[in-house]
Amino acid sequence: QVQLVESGGGLVQAGGSLRLSCAASGSIFRINAMGWYRQAPGKQRELVAVITGGGELNYADSVKGRFTISRDNAKNTVYLQMNSLKPEDTAVYYCNADIIAAMVLNGYWGQGTQVTVSS
């Protein structure tokens, strides 16, 4: 059983910073891409940032220069450092990972963590 557990969300003022973490656990053979998505009220879930197994990075235009995604393969953990936060960054942030477990590749989602940025 593979699980993704997120932490680090909260309430912050505009211009502030937060760091999200997402740890994968279970009978994991290998983790390929890991990423962060977000969903604001009334909007579709959107990609924020992704890091491949080889370390390639991709960011949404709206967060480039402000957010940094990284991973610690030894800990099966992905991070999202969010700086210069804006009210429009308010959303539930979800971790996603492509994981090979029991010789099967599946995509997994975390439970989500709320990020609220006040103006």
Side-chain angles (χ1 to χ4, degrees), residues 70-114:
S70 61
R71 63 191 287 172
D72 184 333
N73 292 327
K75 296 181 179 180
N76 289 337
T77 299
V78 63
Y79 305 96
L80 185 68
Q81 178 66 43
M82 305 184 293
N83 298 328
S84 302
L85 282 160
K86 304 175 181 180
E88 51 263 44
D89 294 318
T90 296
V92 178
Y93 283 70
Y94 296 92
C95 172
N96 173 267
D98 293 332
I99 297 175
I100 298 175
M103 305 308 290
V104 177
L105 174 65
N106 279 311
Y108 293 87
W109 290 93
Q111 79 283 3
T113 185
Q114 177 71 47

Side-chain angles (χ1 to χ4, degrees), residues 6 9 18 30 33-34 57 61 68 79 86 89 91 93 113 116:
E6 299 138 342
L18 284 174
R30 186 172 71 229
M34 304 184 82
L57 309 177
D61 288 342
T68 302
Y79 305 96
K86 304 175 181 180
D89 294 318
Y93 283 70
T113 185
T116 303

Side-chain angles (χ1 to χ4, degrees), residues 11 20 25 27-28 33 40 42 45 59-60 66 76 86 91 98 103:
L11 173 64
L20 305 183
S25 63
S27 300
I28 297 170
R45 191 172 297 188
Y59 294 95
R66 301 187 297 121
N76 289 337
K86 304 175 181 180
D98 293 332
M103 305 308 290

Side-chain angles (χ1 to χ4, degrees), residues 6-80:
E6 299 138 342
S7 60
L11 173 64
V12 65
Q13 288 188 332
S17 299
L18 284 174
R19 188 190 194 211
L20 305 183
S21 300
C22 172
S25 63
S27 300
I28 297 170
F29 175 71
R30 186 172 71 229
I31 302 177
N32 292 339
M34 304 184 82
W36 290 94
Y37 291 72
R38 67 186 180 187
Q39 188 166 18
K43 296 187 176 181
Q44 289 189 333
R45 191 172 297 188
E46 63 176 1
L47 173 70
V48 176
V50 64
I51 181 168
T52 69
E56 295 179 4
L57 309 177
N58 190 33
Y59 294 95
D61 288 342
S62 59
V63 307
K64 283 180 181 176
R66 301 187 297 121
F67 291 11
T68 302
I69 189 170
S70 61
R71 63 191 287 172
D72 184 333
N73 292 327
K75 296 181 179 180
N76 289 337
T77 299
V78 63
Y79 305 96
L80 185 68

